[in-house]
Amino acid sequence: IEAENGELGFKVYKENSLEIVACVIDLTMPGMGGDILSDKIRERDLNIPILLVSGYSKQKMRRGELQSKRIEFLQKPFTLKQFKSALNDCIVR
């Protein structure tokens, strides 16, 4: 399931939360950014695995963001193998 911006992403999440097993969120999106979206999703479900992706480095993220349970970061560009590995890491973490 995909959405073109953070607001729609949150709406899609709320409507489909029982079917979603993990979220892949780009940090830079129009409107609501990925950091806010991940916070809103976490308010509803503390345990859902979240993979944050960005062209920016990990250092640009808020301190403590990745210390949360089941959140991983993957910097663009990445390969399919790197994506699968990072998604698996946040699911089994």
Side-chain angles (χ1 to χ4, degrees):
I1 304 171
E2 62 182 78
E4 62 191 53
N5 60 47
E7 288 85 1
L8 285 175
F10 189 59
K11 181 176 188 257
V12 166
Y13 175 78
K14 289 189 302 184
E15 292 171 353
N16 299 281
S17 62
L18 295 177
E19 299 167 26
I20 296 174
V21 296
C23 296
V24 178
I25 301 172
D26 195 313
L27 284 174
T28 307
M29 294 186 287
M32 181 191 307
D35 56 341
I36 305 280
L37 176 57
S38 65
D39 286 347
K40 291 177 82 67
I41 290 172
R42 280 298 165 135
E43 287 173 8
R44 295 179 64 99
D45 183 349
L46 288 173
N47 293 312
I48 187 149
I50 296 176
L51 176 59
L52 298 171
V53 298
S54 177
Y56 296 106
S57 70
K58 187 188 272 189
Q59 286 78 25
K60 298 280 186 188
M61 297 183 61
R62 295 185 310 223
R63 285 189 340 191
E65 181 83 32
L66 293 178
Q67 308 212 335
S68 297
K69 184 178 171 190
R70 303 180 88 181
I71 293 183
E72 292 289 328
F73 175 81
L74 185 60
Q75 187 172 354
K76 296 178 192 175
F78 49 82
T79 65
L80 182 57
K81 183 178 179 179
Q82 291 168 319
F83 175 78
K84 287 179 180 179
S85 177
L87 187 57
N88 185 60
D89 288 349
C90 76
I91 290 172
V92 298
R93 186 177 199 193

Short mmCIF file of all heavy atoms in Angstrom, two decimals, residues 5-65:
data_model
loop_
_atom_site.label_atom_id
_atom_site.label_comp_id
_atom_site.label_asym_id
_atom_site.label_seq_id
_atom_site.Cartn_x
_atom_site.Cartn_y
_atom_site.Cartn_z
N ASN A 5 2.00 11.23 0.09
CA ASN A 5 2.51 12.18 1.09
C ASN A 5 2.19 11.66 2.49
O ASN A 5 1.51 10.65 2.66
CB ASN A 5 1.94 13.59 0.85
CG ASN A 5 0.43 13.65 0.93
OD1 ASN A 5 -0.17 13.11 1.86
ND2 ASN A 5 -0.21 14.29 -0.03
N GLY A 6 2.69 12.37 3.49
CA GLY A 6 2.53 11.93 4.87
C GLY A 6 1.09 11.89 5.35
O GLY A 6 0.69 10.96 6.07
N GLU A 7 0.30 12.90 4.96
CA GLU A 7 -1.10 12.94 5.40
C GLU A 7 -1.85 11.72 4.87
O GLU A 7 -2.58 11.05 5.60
CB GLU A 7 -1.79 14.23 4.94
CG GLU A 7 -1.34 15.47 5.68
CD GLU A 7 -0.08 16.10 5.10
OE1 GLU A 7 0.47 15.60 4.08
OE2 GLU A 7 0.39 17.09 5.69
N LEU A 8 -1.68 11.45 3.58
CA LEU A 8 -2.34 10.28 3.00
C LEU A 8 -1.77 8.99 3.57
O LEU A 8 -2.50 8.01 3.77
CB LEU A 8 -2.21 10.28 1.48
CG LEU A 8 -3.09 11.29 0.75
CD1 LEU A 8 -2.78 11.28 -0.74
CD2 LEU A 8 -4.56 10.97 0.97
N GLY A 9 -0.48 9.00 3.86
CA GLY A 9 0.15 7.83 4.47
C GLY A 9 -0.49 7.48 5.80
O GLY A 9 -0.76 6.31 6.09
N PHE A 10 -0.76 8.50 6.62
CA PHE A 10 -1.38 8.25 7.92
C PHE A 10 -2.82 7.77 7.74
O PHE A 10 -3.27 6.85 8.43
CB PHE A 10 -1.31 9.49 8.80
CG PHE A 10 -1.74 9.22 10.21
CD1 PHE A 10 -1.09 8.27 10.98
CD2 PHE A 10 -2.79 9.90 10.78
CE1 PHE A 10 -1.49 8.00 12.29
CE2 PHE A 10 -3.19 9.66 12.08
CZ PHE A 10 -2.54 8.70 12.83
N LYS A 11 -3.53 8.36 6.80
CA LYS A 11 -4.91 7.94 6.52
C LYS A 11 -4.93 6.48 6.07
O LYS A 11 -5.72 5.67 6.56
CB LYS A 11 -5.52 8.84 5.44
CG LYS A 11 -6.94 8.51 5.10
CD LYS A 11 -7.49 9.50 4.08
CE LYS A 11 -8.95 9.30 3.87
NZ LYS A 11 -9.33 8.63 2.69
N VAL A 12 -4.03 6.13 5.16
CA VAL A 12 -3.95 4.75 4.67
C VAL A 12 -3.59 3.81 5.82
O VAL A 12 -4.14 2.71 5.94
CB VAL A 12 -2.91 4.64 3.52
CG1 VAL A 12 -2.55 3.20 3.22
CG2 VAL A 12 -3.43 5.33 2.27
N TYR A 13 -2.66 4.24 6.68
CA TYR A 13 -2.29 3.40 7.82
C TYR A 13 -3.49 3.14 8.72
O TYR A 13 -3.75 2.01 9.11
CB TYR A 13 -1.15 4.04 8.62
CG TYR A 13 -0.86 3.25 9.86
CD1 TYR A 13 -0.12 2.08 9.79
CD2 TYR A 13 -1.38 3.64 11.09
CE1 TYR A 13 0.09 1.31 10.91
CE2 TYR A 13 -1.16 2.87 12.21
CZ TYR A 13 -0.43 1.71 12.12
OH TYR A 13 -0.23 0.94 13.23
N LYS A 14 -4.22 4.21 9.06
CA LYS A 14 -5.39 4.05 9.95
C LYS A 14 -6.42 3.11 9.35
O LYS A 14 -7.00 2.29 10.05
CB LYS A 14 -6.02 5.40 10.26
CG LYS A 14 -5.19 6.27 11.17
CD LYS A 14 -5.93 7.50 11.64
CE LYS A 14 -6.40 8.35 10.50
NZ LYS A 14 -7.05 9.61 10.93
N GLU A 15 -6.64 3.23 8.05
CA GLU A 15 -7.66 2.41 7.38
C GLU A 15 -7.23 0.96 7.22
O GLU A 15 -8.07 0.08 7.03
CB GLU A 15 -7.99 3.01 6.02
CG GLU A 15 -8.70 4.34 6.10
CD GLU A 15 -8.83 5.04 4.76
OE1 GLU A 15 -8.25 4.57 3.75
OE2 GLU A 15 -9.50 6.08 4.73
N ASN A 16 -5.92 0.70 7.26
CA ASN A 16 -5.42 -0.65 6.97
C ASN A 16 -4.50 -1.18 8.06
O ASN A 16 -3.76 -2.14 7.82
CB ASN A 16 -4.65 -0.63 5.64
CG ASN A 16 -5.52 -0.23 4.49
OD1 ASN A 16 -6.29 -1.02 3.98
ND2 ASN A 16 -5.42 1.02 4.08
N SER A 17 -4.52 -0.62 9.24
CA SER A 17 -3.54 -0.95 10.27
C SER A 17 -3.53 -2.43 10.65
O SER A 17 -2.48 -2.96 11.01
CB SER A 17 -3.73 -0.08 11.51
OG SER A 17 -5.00 -0.31 12.09
N LEU A 18 -4.66 -3.10 10.55
CA LEU A 18 -4.69 -4.51 10.90
C LEU A 18 -3.98 -5.39 9.88
O LEU A 18 -3.57 -6.51 10.19
CB LEU A 18 -6.13 -4.98 11.09
CG LEU A 18 -6.88 -4.35 12.26
CD1 LEU A 18 -8.31 -4.83 12.30
CD2 LEU A 18 -6.18 -4.63 13.58
N GLU A 19 -3.82 -4.88 8.67
CA GLU A 19 -3.18 -5.65 7.60
C GLU A 19 -1.70 -5.29 7.42
O GLU A 19 -0.97 -6.03 6.76
CB GLU A 19 -3.91 -5.40 6.29
CG GLU A 19 -5.36 -5.82 6.34
CD GLU A 19 -6.15 -5.27 5.16
OE1 GLU A 19 -5.55 -5.02 4.10
OE2 GLU A 19 -7.36 -5.10 5.31
N ILE A 20 -1.26 -4.19 7.98
CA ILE A 20 0.10 -3.70 7.76
C ILE A 20 1.03 -4.34 8.79
O ILE A 20 0.79 -4.25 9.99
CB ILE A 20 0.14 -2.16 7.84
CG1 ILE A 20 -0.68 -1.58 6.70
CG2 ILE A 20 1.58 -1.66 7.80
CD1 ILE A 20 -0.83 -0.07 6.74
N VAL A 21 2.10 -4.95 8.31
CA VAL A 21 3.05 -5.60 9.22
C VAL A 21 4.33 -4.78 9.39
O VAL A 21 5.11 -5.05 10.30
CB VAL A 21 3.39 -7.03 8.76
CG1 VAL A 21 2.17 -7.91 8.80
CG2 VAL A 21 4.02 -7.03 7.39
N ALA A 22 4.55 -3.79 8.53
CA ALA A 22 5.71 -2.90 8.64
C ALA A 22 5.46 -1.67 7.78
O ALA A 22 4.68 -1.73 6.82
CB ALA A 22 6.99 -3.60 8.18
N CYS A 23 6.13 -0.58 8.12
CA CYS A 23 6.00 0.65 7.35
C CYS A 23 7.37 1.05 6.82
O CYS A 23 8.35 1.03 7.55
CB CYS A 23 5.47 1.78 8.23
SG CYS A 23 3.82 1.51 8.86
N VAL A 24 7.41 1.43 5.55
CA VAL A 24 8.60 2.00 4.94
C VAL A 24 8.26 3.45 4.66
O VAL A 24 7.33 3.73 3.90
CB VAL A 24 8.98 1.26 3.63
CG1 VAL A 24 10.20 1.91 3.00
CG2 VAL A 24 9.23 -0.21 3.90
N ILE A 25 8.99 4.36 5.30
CA ILE A 25 8.63 5.77 5.25
C ILE A 25 9.83 6.60 4.80
O ILE A 25 10.91 6.52 5.40
CB ILE A 25 8.17 6.26 6.65
CG1 ILE A 25 6.96 5.44 7.12
CG2 ILE A 25 7.86 7.75 6.61
CD1 ILE A 25 6.56 5.74 8.56
N ASP A 26 9.62 7.42 3.77
CA ASP A 26 10.64 8.36 3.34
C ASP A 26 10.60 9.56 4.28
O ASP A 26 9.52 10.07 4.58
CB ASP A 26 10.38 8.80 1.90
CG ASP A 26 11.59 9.48 1.27
OD1 ASP A 26 12.20 10.36 1.93
OD2 ASP A 26 11.93 9.14 0.13
N LEU A 27 11.75 9.99 4.74
CA LEU A 27 11.78 11.12 5.68
C LEU A 27 11.36 12.43 5.03
O LEU A 27 10.82 13.31 5.69
CB LEU A 27 13.17 11.26 6.30
CG LEU A 27 13.49 10.25 7.38
CD1 LEU A 27 14.94 10.37 7.82
CD2 LEU A 27 12.57 10.42 8.57
N THR A 28 11.62 12.58 3.73
CA THR A 28 11.32 13.84 3.05
C THR A 28 10.14 13.62 2.11
O THR A 28 10.28 13.02 1.05
CB THR A 28 12.54 14.33 2.25
OG1 THR A 28 13.66 14.37 3.12
CG2 THR A 28 12.31 15.71 1.67
N MET A 29 8.97 14.11 2.54
CA MET A 29 7.75 14.01 1.74
C MET A 29 7.06 15.36 1.76
O MET A 29 7.26 16.15 2.69
CB MET A 29 6.80 12.97 2.34
CG MET A 29 7.30 11.57 2.30
SD MET A 29 6.04 10.39 2.86
CE MET A 29 6.02 10.70 4.62
N PRO A 30 6.22 15.62 0.77
CA PRO A 30 5.44 16.86 0.80
C PRO A 30 4.50 16.87 2.00
O PRO A 30 4.00 15.82 2.42
CB PRO A 30 4.64 16.83 -0.51
CG PRO A 30 5.13 15.67 -1.29
CD PRO A 30 5.96 14.82 -0.40
N GLY A 31 4.26 18.04 2.55
CA GLY A 31 3.35 18.14 3.70
C GLY A 31 3.98 17.55 4.94
O GLY A 31 5.09 17.90 5.32
N MET A 32 3.29 16.60 5.54
CA MET A 32 3.79 15.94 6.74
C MET A 32 5.02 15.10 6.39
O MET A 32 4.95 14.22 5.55
CB MET A 32 2.71 15.03 7.33
CG MET A 32 3.13 14.31 8.60
SD MET A 32 1.97 12.99 9.10
CE MET A 32 0.41 13.80 9.15
N GLY A 33 6.14 15.38 7.04
CA GLY A 33 7.37 14.63 6.78
C GLY A 33 7.34 13.25 7.42
O GLY A 33 6.47 12.93 8.24
N GLY A 34 8.28 12.44 7.02
CA GLY A 34 8.34 11.07 7.51
C GLY A 34 8.59 10.96 9.00
O GLY A 34 8.12 10.01 9.64
N ASP A 35 9.31 11.92 9.58
CA ASP A 35 9.55 11.87 11.02
C ASP A 35 8.24 12.05 11.79
O ASP A 35 7.97 11.34 12.75
CB ASP A 35 10.59 12.90 11.44
CG ASP A 35 10.25 14.32 11.02
OD1 ASP A 35 9.40 14.51 10.12
OD2 ASP A 35 10.84 15.26 11.58
N ILE A 36 7.41 12.98 11.34
CA ILE A 36 6.11 13.21 11.99
C ILE A 36 5.19 12.01 11.76
O ILE A 36 4.51 11.55 12.68
CB ILE A 36 5.43 14.48 11.44
CG1 ILE A 36 6.36 15.68 11.57
CG2 ILE A 36 4.08 14.71 12.09
CD1 ILE A 36 6.44 16.32 12.91
N LEU A 37 5.19 11.50 10.53
CA LEU A 37 4.36 10.34 10.22
C LEU A 37 4.74 9.15 11.09
O LEU A 37 3.86 8.49 11.65
CB LEU A 37 4.47 9.97 8.74
CG LEU A 37 3.73 8.71 8.29
CD1 LEU A 37 2.25 8.79 8.62
CD2 LEU A 37 3.96 8.46 6.81
N SER A 38 6.03 8.89 11.24
CA SER A 38 6.43 7.76 12.08
C SER A 38 6.01 7.97 13.53
O SER A 38 5.61 7.03 14.21
CB SER A 38 7.93 7.48 11.96
OG SER A 38 8.69 8.54 12.46
N ASP A 39 6.09 9.22 14.02
CA ASP A 39 5.62 9.52 15.38
C ASP A 39 4.13 9.23 15.53
O ASP A 39 3.69 8.65 16.52
CB ASP A 39 5.88 10.98 15.73
CG ASP A 39 7.33 11.30 16.01
OD1 ASP A 39 8.13 10.35 16.19
OD2 ASP A 39 7.67 12.49 16.05
N LYS A 40 3.33 9.65 14.55
CA LYS A 40 1.88 9.45 14.62
C LYS A 40 1.53 7.96 14.56
O LYS A 40 0.64 7.50 15.27
CB LYS A 40 1.18 10.23 13.50
CG LYS A 40 1.24 11.74 13.70
CD LYS A 40 0.60 12.48 12.55
CE LYS A 40 -0.87 12.57 12.61
NZ LYS A 40 -1.49 13.33 13.64
N ILE A 41 2.25 7.22 13.74
CA ILE A 41 2.01 5.78 13.68
C ILE A 41 2.39 5.13 15.00
O ILE A 41 1.67 4.28 15.52
CB ILE A 41 2.77 5.16 12.48
CG1 ILE A 41 2.12 5.61 11.18
CG2 ILE A 41 2.80 3.63 12.59
CD1 ILE A 41 2.89 5.24 9.93
N ARG A 42 3.51 5.57 15.58
CA ARG A 42 3.96 5.03 16.88
C ARG A 42 2.97 5.34 18.00
O ARG A 42 2.86 4.59 18.95
CB ARG A 42 5.32 5.59 17.25
CG ARG A 42 6.45 4.89 16.55
CD ARG A 42 6.42 3.45 17.00
NE ARG A 42 7.23 2.67 16.12
CZ ARG A 42 8.09 1.77 16.50
NH1 ARG A 42 8.26 1.51 17.76
NH2 ARG A 42 8.77 1.09 15.63
N GLU A 43 2.26 6.45 17.90
CA GLU A 43 1.25 6.76 18.92
C GLU A 43 0.14 5.71 18.91
O GLU A 43 -0.47 5.45 19.92
CB GLU A 43 0.66 8.15 18.65
CG GLU A 43 1.60 9.28 18.99
CD GLU A 43 1.05 10.63 18.57
OE1 GLU A 43 -0.12 10.73 18.15
OE2 GLU A 43 1.83 11.61 18.65
N ARG A 44 -0.12 5.13 17.76
CA ARG A 44 -1.17 4.11 17.63
C ARG A 44 -0.66 2.70 17.88
O ARG A 44 -1.40 1.84 18.32
CB ARG A 44 -1.79 4.19 16.24
CG ARG A 44 -2.53 5.50 16.00
CD ARG A 44 -3.10 5.55 14.62
NE ARG A 44 -4.11 4.53 14.40
CZ ARG A 44 -5.42 4.72 14.47
NH1 ARG A 44 -5.88 5.89 14.79
NH2 ARG A 44 -6.24 3.74 14.23
N ASP A 45 0.63 2.46 17.55
CA ASP A 45 1.20 1.11 17.69
C ASP A 45 2.69 1.22 17.99
O ASP A 45 3.48 1.51 17.10
CB ASP A 45 0.96 0.31 16.41
CG ASP A 45 1.45 -1.13 16.50
OD1 ASP A 45 2.15 -1.48 17.48
OD2 ASP A 45 1.13 -1.90 15.58
N LEU A 46 3.05 0.98 19.23
CA LEU A 46 4.46 1.12 19.64
C LEU A 46 5.36 0.05 19.04
O LEU A 46 6.58 0.21 19.02
CB LEU A 46 4.57 1.04 21.16
CG LEU A 46 4.05 2.24 21.92
CD1 LEU A 46 4.07 1.96 23.42
CD2 LEU A 46 4.88 3.47 21.60
N ASN A 47 4.81 -1.04 18.57
CA ASN A 47 5.62 -2.17 18.12
C ASN A 47 5.71 -2.37 16.62
O ASN A 47 6.40 -3.28 16.17
CB ASN A 47 5.09 -3.46 18.76
CG ASN A 47 5.31 -3.43 20.26
OD1 ASN A 47 6.40 -3.13 20.72
ND2 ASN A 47 4.26 -3.71 21.01
N ILE A 48 5.04 -1.55 15.83
CA ILE A 48 5.10 -1.77 14.39
C ILE A 48 6.50 -1.46 13.87
O ILE A 48 7.09 -0.44 14.21
CB ILE A 48 4.04 -0.96 13.62
CG1 ILE A 48 4.04 -1.37 12.15
CG2 ILE A 48 4.25 0.52 13.76
CD1 ILE A 48 2.72 -1.27 11.49
N PRO A 49 7.08 -2.36 13.08
CA PRO A 49 8.40 -2.10 12.51
C PRO A 49 8.34 -0.95 11.51
O PRO A 49 7.42 -0.88 10.69
CB PRO A 49 8.74 -3.41 11.79
CG PRO A 49 7.84 -4.44 12.39
CD PRO A 49 6.60 -3.70 12.78
N ILE A 50 9.32 -0.05 11.61
CA ILE A 50 9.38 1.10 10.71
C ILE A 50 10.77 1.18 10.11
O ILE A 50 11.77 1.19 10.84
CB ILE A 50 9.04 2.41 11.45
CG1 ILE A 50 7.59 2.38 11.95
CG2 ILE A 50 9.27 3.62 10.54
CD1 ILE A 50 7.18 3.60 12.76
N LEU A 51 10.82 1.26 8.79
CA LEU A 51 12.07 1.48 8.07
C LEU A 51 12.02 2.88 7.50
O LEU A 51 11.17 3.19 6.65
CB LEU A 51 12.26 0.44 6.95
CG LEU A 51 13.48 0.62 6.07
CD1 LEU A 51 14.78 0.57 6.89
CD2 LEU A 51 13.51 -0.44 4.97
N LEU A 52 12.88 3.76 7.99
CA LEU A 52 12.97 5.13 7.50
C LEU A 52 14.03 5.18 6.42
O LEU A 52 15.14 4.68 6.61
CB LEU A 52 13.33 6.08 8.64
CG LEU A 52 12.33 6.14 9.79
CD1 LEU A 52 12.91 6.94 10.95
CD2 LEU A 52 11.03 6.76 9.33
N VAL A 53 13.70 5.79 5.29
CA VAL A 53 14.66 5.93 4.20
C VAL A 53 14.83 7.40 3.86
O VAL A 53 13.90 8.19 4.00
CB VAL A 53 14.24 5.12 2.95
CG1 VAL A 53 14.18 3.64 3.25
CG2 VAL A 53 12.93 5.60 2.38
N SER A 54 16.04 7.75 3.42
CA SER A 54 16.31 9.15 3.09
C SER A 54 17.59 9.25 2.27
O SER A 54 18.48 8.42 2.39
CB SER A 54 16.47 9.98 4.36
OG SER A 54 16.79 11.32 4.03
N GLY A 55 17.65 10.29 1.48
CA GLY A 55 18.88 10.62 0.78
C GLY A 55 19.85 11.34 1.70
O GLY A 55 21.03 11.47 1.39
N TYR A 56 19.35 11.80 2.83
CA TYR A 56 20.20 12.46 3.82
C TYR A 56 20.85 11.41 4.71
O TYR A 56 20.37 10.29 4.82
CB TYR A 56 19.39 13.43 4.68
CG TYR A 56 18.82 14.58 3.89
CD1 TYR A 56 17.47 14.62 3.59
CD2 TYR A 56 19.63 15.60 3.44
CE1 TYR A 56 16.93 15.66 2.85
CE2 TYR A 56 19.11 16.65 2.70
CZ TYR A 56 17.76 16.68 2.41
OH TYR A 56 17.25 17.70 1.67
N SER A 57 21.89 11.80 5.39
CA SER A 57 22.60 10.85 6.25
C SER A 57 21.85 10.64 7.56
O SER A 57 20.99 11.44 7.96
CB SER A 57 24.01 11.35 6.55
OG SER A 57 23.96 12.48 7.40
N LYS A 58 22.21 9.58 8.25
CA LYS A 58 21.63 9.25 9.54
C LYS A 58 21.83 10.38 10.55
O LYS A 58 21.01 10.61 11.42
CB LYS A 58 22.28 7.96 10.05
CG LYS A 58 21.66 7.40 11.29
CD LYS A 58 22.48 6.24 11.83
CE LYS A 58 22.10 4.94 11.24
NZ LYS A 58 22.74 3.79 11.90
N GLN A 59 22.93 11.13 10.44
CA GLN A 59 23.23 12.21 11.38
C GLN A 59 22.19 13.33 11.32
O GLN A 59 22.05 14.09 12.26
CB GLN A 59 24.62 12.79 11.12
CG GLN A 59 25.74 11.89 11.57
CD GLN A 59 26.01 10.75 10.60
OE1 GLN A 59 25.71 10.85 9.42
NE2 GLN A 59 26.55 9.66 11.11
N LYS A 60 21.46 13.45 10.22
CA LYS A 60 20.45 14.51 10.09
C LYS A 60 19.18 14.19 10.87
O LYS A 60 18.32 15.04 11.01
CB LYS A 60 20.09 14.73 8.61
CG LYS A 60 21.23 15.17 7.75
CD LYS A 60 21.48 16.63 7.91
CE LYS A 60 22.55 17.07 6.92
NZ LYS A 60 22.96 18.42 7.15
N MET A 61 19.05 12.98 11.35
CA MET A 61 17.84 12.58 12.07
C MET A 61 17.85 13.11 13.50
O MET A 61 18.90 13.39 14.05
CB MET A 61 17.70 11.06 12.07
CG MET A 61 17.55 10.51 10.68
SD MET A 61 17.31 8.75 10.72
CE MET A 61 15.81 8.65 11.66
N ARG A 62 16.67 13.21 14.07
CA ARG A 62 16.56 13.64 15.47
C ARG A 62 17.28 12.65 16.36
O ARG A 62 17.24 11.45 16.13
CB ARG A 62 15.08 13.70 15.89
CG ARG A 62 14.30 14.72 15.16
CD ARG A 62 12.91 14.79 15.72
NE ARG A 62 12.31 13.47 15.82
CZ ARG A 62 11.07 13.19 15.49
NH1 ARG A 62 10.29 14.11 15.03
NH2 ARG A 62 10.59 11.98 15.65
N ARG A 63 17.93 13.16 17.38
CA ARG A 63 18.61 12.27 18.31
C ARG A 63 17.60 11.35 18.98
O ARG A 63 16.53 11.76 19.36
CB ARG A 63 19.33 13.09 19.37
CG ARG A 63 20.56 13.72 18.81
CD ARG A 63 21.42 14.36 19.81
NE ARG A 63 20.78 14.70 21.07
CZ ARG A 63 21.35 15.46 21.97
NH1 ARG A 63 22.52 15.96 21.76
NH2 ARG A 63 20.73 15.72 23.10
N GLY A 64 17.97 10.11 19.10
CA GLY A 64 17.10 9.14 19.76
C GLY A 64 16.11 8.45 18.84
O GLY A 64 15.51 7.46 19.21
N GLU A 65 15.91 8.98 17.64
CA GLU A 65 14.93 8.42 16.72
C GLU A 65 15.16 6.93 16.47
O GLU A 65 14.24 6.13 16.47
CB GLU A 65 14.97 9.18 15.39
CG GLU A 65 13.98 8.70 14.36
CD GLU A 65 12.61 9.29 14.55
OE1 GLU A 65 12.49 10.42 15.01
OE2 GLU A 65 11.65 8.58 14.23
#
